[in-house]
Amino acid sequence: MIKEKISKLRTNIEISKEVFIITKIINIQKFSISDGSGIRTSVFFKGCGLDCKWCHNPESISFDKELLYDSEKCISCGKCVKTCPNGALELSDGKVIIDRNKCIACGDCIEYCLGDALETAGKEYSVSEIVEAIEKDNLFYEVSDGGVTLSGGESMIQDIYYLENLCKKLKRRGIHIAVDTSGYAPTEHFKRILKYVDIFLYDVKTMDDEVHKKFVGKGNKLILENLIFLNEHNASINIRIPIFEGVNATTKDMEDIIDFLKHNNIHVEQINLLPYHEIGTHKYERLNLGYSYDSFGVPSNEVMKQFQELYKKSGYNNTLIGG
Ligand code: SF4
Ligand code: SF4
C-alpha cells in the first residue's frame, strides 16, 4: 500500500529529478523473434515518459499497477462492484466503469469475476527473479545468437539502480542485451548501463519538434541528445523509424532524419522503417480510455519502398521495412 502510494507520485515527476521508482514489469515474453537477433526474451517494463497518440500498449504508459477490464468477456453479473472495498466500480449499461481515482489495483475484485474479465497489469519482480526467468532459455540464446531485450513502456526511465544491477547480472552470464528505447530518459541512465548493452534499438520519430510535441507529448531535444551521446561513446545502434501518414510520412521528414544522422556522424548498424498498423480500440477500452485520434494513418507499401530507396541511396544500405 505504501509502495503503491510512492509509485503513484512518480507519474507526474519531472524526468530530470532523481526519484525512487518501484519498477514494475508488464510481461516477460519468451521466444520472441523480433526486437533483436535470434531467439529472445523480452522484458516489458511498465511506465513511459512519453504519450504517443498511436501507442499500441496503453497499459504500459503509467508506472502504476492498473486494473484492466475486458467488456467482451464480462457477463455483467455485478459481483466486482459489490466486492470492491473502495467503491471504485459501477455497472452502467452492462459494462463496468472503473474510477481510477479510487481503484488501488488491489485485485480483490478479480477473485470474484466469473467472466475472467478483470486482471491487473504491473508486477514487481526482484532482479534475481527476472534473471532466473531469462536464464532458463540460455540454450536457445546460444544456438540462435539471441538474448534479452529490455523493452516497455520505457526501460531506460526505470530505477537506474535496478536496471544497472539487472544488466550487470545478465552480462556476467554472457547474455546478449538489447535495449529497445524511445530515448526519452536521463542521459545519466544511458551512461550507467552503456558498458553492458550490446545494442540499442533507438526510436527516431521526427526532427520537427512541434510535431513531436503534438503527437508524442514531449519535444525531441533530449532524445536526439541521448542518441548523439550513445554514438560518441561507440554504442551499437539500430535506428527505428515508425512511419505515419499525417505525421512523418513525407520525403522531407525522411531527408531531415538523414541530414541529422549524417551531420552528427551517427554510426548506424541498421535502419528499420516501421509502417504504422492500425489496432482495434480494445486495449484502450480495457483501461476505460478513449482512442479517438484519427489524424494519422497507414502509409502505403509504395511510399515505404520509396523511403527505403531514399535511405539506401543515402548510404544506409542496411535499411529494412519492418523488423
Ligand atoms: S482492484 Fe481493488 S480497488 Fe480496484 S476495483 Fe478491484 S477491488 Fe476495487
Ligand atoms: S465480476 Fe467480472 S463478469 Fe461480473 S460484472 Fe464484474 S467484470 Fe463483469
Side-chain angles (χ1 to χ4, degrees), residues 69-280:
Y69 165 67
D70 189 338
S71 62
E72 287 179 8
K73 291 182 181 169
C74 177
I75 57 171
S76 309
C77 67
K79 279 270 187 201
C80 55
V81 178
K82 290 181 193 140
T83 308
C84 177
N86 295 333
L89 302 176
E90 75 173 275
L91 202 57
S92 173
D93 291 333
K95 287 189 177 181
V96 172
I97 309 294
I98 305 166
D99 183 338
R100 299 254 163 225
N101 291 321
K102 291 182 181 168
C103 177
I104 56 165
C106 65
D108 287 0
C109 53
I110 297 171
E111 305 300 322
Y112 296 87
C113 178
L114 293 175
D116 251 348
L118 297 168
E119 63 174 307
T120 52
K123 190 176 168 207
E124 287 165 31
Y125 282 84
S126 68
V127 168
S128 305
E129 283 172 328
I130 297 188
V131 172
E132 197 181 315
I134 290 168
E135 263 190 315
K136 283 181 185 156
D137 295 329
N138 261 342
L139 188 61
F140 295 104
Y141 310 143
E142 279 168 25
V143 296
S144 69
D145 283 333
V148 63
T149 302
L150 306 181
S151 190
E154 175 56 61
S155 55
M156 291 303 304
I157 205 172
Q158 306 293 328
D159 176 0
I160 189 57
Y161 297 95
Y162 183 101
L163 200 62
E164 191 175 14
N165 193 11
L166 175 61
C167 289
K168 197 185 275 185
K169 284 190 161 60
L170 292 174
K171 194 59 3 196
R172 249 190 231 144
R173 287 159 176 79
I175 296 172
H176 181 275
I177 303 172
V179 169
D180 180 9
T181 180
S182 70
Y184 191 74
T187 307
E188 176 65 21
H189 288 199
F190 287 99
K191 199 174 182 179
R192 291 267 291 271
I193 70 154
L194 184 59
K195 59 177 175 282
Y196 307 113
V197 176
D198 294 286
I199 191 156
F200 288 89
L201 314 176
Y202 205 100
D203 280 11
V204 173
K205 297 176 180 89
T206 172
M207 290 296 122
D208 187 323
D209 198 44
E210 288 309 310
V211 171
H212 207 278
K213 279 181 195 154
K214 179 177 173 188
F215 288 96
V216 178
K218 297 279 186 337
N220 59 14
K221 187 169 179 282
L222 177 64
I223 293 166
L224 299 178
E225 282 173 4
N226 283 335
L227 179 55
I228 291 169
F229 171 84
L230 288 177
N231 185 59
E232 284 173 352
H233 290 80
N234 301 318
S236 291
I237 302 165
N238 280 6
I239 297 287
R240 297 160 68 85
I241 307 171
I243 297 178
F244 310 85
E245 281 295 348
V247 180
N248 63 349
T250 69
T251 303
K252 179 171 186 322
D253 280 296
M254 297 303 119
E255 285 173 346
D256 287 348
I257 293 174
I258 291 167
D259 285 349
F260 173 83
L261 296 176
K262 290 208 174 283
H263 179 74
N264 291 289
N265 292 321
I266 307 284
H267 178 76
V268 179
E269 304 283 336
Q270 187 175 86
I271 292 182
N272 296 92
L273 305 177
L274 309 171
Y276 169 62
H277 57 93
E278 284 171 334
I279 51 160

Side-chain angles (χ1 to χ4, degrees), residues 53-54 215 244-247 276 278 291 293-298:
K53 302 301 179 203
W54 46 75
F215 288 96
F244 310 85
E245 281 295 348
V247 180
Y276 169 62
E278 284 171 334
Y291 186 77
Y293 226 88
D294 56 6
S295 60
F296 50 84
V298 181

